[in-house]
Amino acid sequence: MYKSEFTIIALVITSFLLTGYFGYTNYHDKQRLERDNFALTSQIEQLQHTIARNNQIIADNERSKRELENQSISRQEQINEQLSNNDCANQLVPVAVSNSLYNRAKGVRKSTDTSTPAK
């Protein structure tokens, strides 16, 4: 019976050691997971702030674009009004001058076009 008591004591000690080892490992894994969770939560919050800031920038840019378009239309209407009674405005412009002005305006519009990425 001495041998069975020794076996029982060995099993109790072994199970105690294994329980302690697994508990220790579990505790450290839990601590690591909590740190990782906190870091990921912080990164998500930073990304959400970045997204909100970028969305605001996009909205501001769209509003500025609409304002510039409205100003352009308004100025074109003013120019048309001022030229309506001007004899010079009713004369034909030479084709070479007309083409030059058209190409210059086209180049200016192309350089400010934000719909296509710059190369």
Side-chain angles (χ1 to χ4, degrees), residues 50-116:
T50 301
I51 289 168
R53 187 172 58 245
N54 288 344
N55 285 341
Q56 184 61 48
I57 290 170
I58 290 168
D60 291 345
N61 286 344
E62 288 296 322
R63 187 175 57 254
S64 294
K65 183 179 174 183
R66 282 191 303 275
E67 289 174 5
L68 289 173
E69 288 171 354
N70 291 338
Q71 287 176 6
S72 177
I73 291 169
S74 175
R75 288 188 179 132
Q76 185 62 48
E77 290 171 353
Q78 290 173 356
I79 290 170
N80 290 342
E81 280 180 32
Q82 292 172 353
L83 294 177
S84 65
N85 297 324
N86 188 327
D87 291 335
C88 183
N90 295 325
Q91 294 179 2
L92 294 177
V93 177
V95 174
V97 174
S98 164
N99 287 340
S100 175
L101 290 172
Y102 173 78
N103 288 332
R104 175 70 181 131
K106 185 176 170 184
V108 169
R109 281 192 299 273
K110 187 179 254 183
S111 70
T112 60
D113 185 12
T114 60
S115 65
T116 57

Side-chain angles (χ1 to χ4, degrees), residues 13-23:
I13 291 173
T14 303
S15 57
F16 178 75
L17 290 174
L18 286 174
T19 302
Y21 171 76
F22 288 124

